[in-house]
Amino acid sequence: MAKEGVEKAEETEQMIEKEAGKEPAEGGGSHRLGDAQEMRAVVLAGFGGLNKLRVTRKAMPEPQDGELKIRVKACGLNFIDLMVRQGNIDNPPKAPLVPGFECSGIVEALGDGVKGFEIGDRVMAFVNYNAWAEVVCTPVEFVYKIPDDMSFSEAAAFPMNFVTAYMMLFEVANLREGMSVLVHSAGGGVGQAVAQLCSTIPNVTVFGTASTFKHEAIKDSVTHLFDRNADYVQEVKRISAEGVDIVLDCLCGDNTGKGLSLLKPLGTYILYGSSNMVTGETKSFFSFAKSWWQVEKVNPIKLYEENKVIAGFSLLNLLFKQGRAGLIQRVVDKLIGLYTQKKIKPVVDSLWALEEVKEAMQRIHDRGNIGKLILDVEKTPTPLMANDSTETSEAGEEEEDHEGDSENKERMPFIQ
């Protein structure tokens, strides 16, 4: 069945490429060594710096029972991927591994028992690692059809950001008309998704922190913008003396205490990341310890007395460890409805080839992106970057210093 799927998917892909005015790539992007079909993939050889990443060839996976095989067109790049690379997460998987948790593409084959999908369907999907490759296989409950007018880059920017934003706002914090929200990293992918979803509810005030250079680009989506290094607690209270109803914190550290202090009675603080632990290129015990030490120790009695709620949210754990795929499916359906009504639209910062993954990661590390960074599987890398991330050298080879690369190679935002 999978073999028939490969043949039909290649025909489908060539048809789509011809409709888009492109010549089909010779060989369809996959190669054969003997009887084994291979694909390109980003491989993390071990936890650490950017030099641990390589683009190499791996055996192409085939779908198991209940799985779909997807010919990947685009992959999302998230801050959690940077933390995975550093080994800065609980119970990291063993390396080497293929990073990435979301992608978009075309269904190429169906495993036994799969219903509701056909070969040639345009889809986006969650993947429990392995997304940064030309082909992925993932269980059917993590795959969603995309509208005809949604591009593959938009689709790759959609699942993690918008599902996370929707779940926090509506499932955890119960956002309603007239409420106020503070979101950190307002210029990032989740921050922009939060701002757009807030605009679907009347009279919601959005406070946001972001680097000053991003303010002009995002000023229309956020009611009140503050510099990420400013004393935002005083700035918020100057505008709203009572504070805010919802705080969405992806930073952690001393921002936890600040966020709790800003909550109105019956307000909700949600922690959904800990990017303050990431300072250098590799994992820093000092940064981890500092961030942990700065987190305010929560007293349940104080929460009771002040009528405040504190919560955490991890989409990946909800999907892959806690079995809530059905809930996420309903949320995705609602979000697709908002997209087709043109009420929300993913903000794509820039497109990068697989071979440019190091430079893309550096851009996220530098907090230089506005919206989402996308790995475009079919994009041709620039010559200067091509050899840098391609497996051409022995393991352990010294890596050139790339500090400042993201500043030197100017990237124009990708506009849909």
Side-chain angles (χ1 to χ4, degrees):
M1 189 173 190
K3 184 177 180 181
E4 294 175 1
V6 172
E7 295 172 352
K8 290 183 69 175
E10 286 177 353
E11 294 177 5
T12 303
E13 187 174 0
Q14 290 176 6
M15 178 184 68
I16 292 173
E17 288 174 337
K18 287 179 180 178
E19 288 177 357
K22 293 168 56 181
E23 287 297 322
E26 289 186 16
S30 60
H31 292 247
R32 286 185 179 275
L33 278 180
D35 293 331
Q37 216 170 7
E38 292 197 328
M39 64 176 184
R40 288 160 56 238
V42 176
V43 173
L44 179 65
F47 301 112
L50 294 170
N51 63 326
K52 299 296 185 180
L53 293 164
R54 283 285 186 274
V55 174
T56 186
R57 294 201 169 275
K58 289 176 60 69
M60 187 180 296
E62 294 300 331
Q64 303 302 306
D65 292 355
E67 289 187 342
L68 291 172
K69 180 180 180 180
I70 300 170
R71 173 68 60 174
V72 177
K73 297 293 185 178
C75 320
L77 205 159
N78 301 283
F79 203 89
I80 185 67
D81 297 311
L82 191 153
M83 298 183 73
V84 167
R85 191 201 79 217
Q86 294 187 349
N88 219 340
I89 58 172
D90 287 336
N91 301 314
K94 292 182 179 180
L97 61 91
V98 176
F101 297 102
E102 63 183 339
C103 64
S104 64
I106 298 173
V107 175
E108 189 168 87
L110 309 175
D112 290 339
V114 172
K115 297 180 180 179
F117 290 89
E118 295 180 355
I119 293 170
D121 282 346
R122 302 171 73 250
V123 297
M124 59 187 176
F126 289 110
V127 188
N128 194 8
Y129 294 98
N130 296 307
W132 294 356
E134 289 183 314
V135 174
V136 303
C137 292
T138 194
V140 64
E141 58 263 33
F142 303 142
V143 184
Y144 319 95
K145 294 178 184 177
I146 62 177
D148 292 339
D149 60 345
M150 179 182 280
S151 69
F152 287 117
S153 57
E154 281 186 323
F158 199 87
M160 286 281 285
N161 291 351
F162 275 95
V163 173
T164 295
Y166 187 98
M167 290 292 296
M168 292 192 298
L169 289 172
F170 298 107
E171 297 290 333
V172 181
N174 193 22
L175 178 66
R176 301 183 303 280
E177 180 176 355
M179 294 178 74
S180 54
V181 179
L182 168 65
V183 59
H184 292 295
S185 300
V190 173
Q192 283 296 286
V194 165
Q196 290 186 32
L197 288 171
C198 285
S199 71
T200 67
I201 306 298
N203 303 316
V204 171
T205 302
V206 180
F207 298 87
T209 67
S211 301
T212 303
F213 77 89
K214 299 183 181 182
H215 287 196
E216 182 64 27
I218 66 175
K219 64 181 181 181
D220 293 336
S221 62
V222 180
T223 317
H224 303 288
L225 268 173
F226 314 117
D227 181 75
R228 66 190 298 263
N229 297 314
D231 184 357
Y232 62 85
V233 173
Q234 293 305 314
E235 293 290 339
V236 170
K237 288 189 172 180
R238 181 177 58 81
I239 298 168
S240 175
E242 268 199 298
V244 297
D245 297 292
I246 301 170
V247 174
L248 304 178
D249 181 12
C250 60
L251 305 177
C252 200
D254 60 354
N255 291 282
T256 300
K258 293 177 181 179
L260 287 169
S261 73
L262 279 172
L263 284 182
K264 295 179 180 180
L266 302 181
T268 302
Y269 164 93
I270 305 174
L271 179 70
Y272 70 101
S274 52
S275 64
N276 275 352
M277 288 197 298
V278 177
T279 52
E281 185 179 325
T282 57
K283 182 177 180 179
S284 166
F285 177 78
F286 174 77
S287 296
F288 176 83
K290 179 182 177 182
S291 183
W292 180 86
W293 182 258
Q294 288 177 333
V295 174
E296 182 169 308
K297 306 306 177 279
V298 177
N299 183 342
I301 299 298
K302 188 176 181 181
L303 292 176
Y304 152 74
E305 292 173 345
E306 296 182 353
N307 284 300
K308 293 181 178 181
V309 178
I310 185 168
F313 183 75
S314 166
L315 176 57
L316 296 178
N317 284 347
L318 199 66
L319 275 170
F320 301 127
K321 294 182 179 180
Q322 296 164 343
R324 295 298 190 272
L327 171 60
I328 301 305
Q329 175 68 69
R330 293 192 291 275
V331 170
V332 171
D333 291 342
K334 293 176 183 177
L335 289 167
I336 291 294
L338 291 173
Y339 177 87
T340 56
Q341 296 168 36
K342 302 192 183 305
K343 292 184 178 180
I344 61 173
K345 183 181 177 66
V347 177
V348 176
D349 174 80
S350 48
L351 304 180
W352 304 75
L354 290 181
E355 291 78 7
E356 298 168 341
V357 63
K358 294 179 184 179
E359 287 74 16
M361 270 201 163
Q362 186 65 50
R363 183 169 175 82
I364 284 188
H365 183 278
D366 295 339
R367 280 72 167 178
N369 56 300
I370 298 174
K372 188 77 162 233
L373 276 74
I374 298 296
L375 295 178
D376 184 340
V377 175
E378 296 179 341
K379 182 179 182 295
T380 302
T382 58
L384 289 176
M385 299 184 199
N387 292 329
D388 187 59
S389 294
T390 304
E391 189 177 56
T392 57
S393 58
E394 296 295 328
E397 179 181 295
E398 289 288 333
E399 187 69 23
E400 292 183 8
D401 181 14
H402 293 288
E403 184 178 355
D405 274 3
S406 61
E407 296 176 2
N408 296 333
K409 287 189 278 291
E410 189 173 315
R411 286 265 165 183
M412 296 299 292
F414 178 79
I415 299 173
Q416 296 288 347

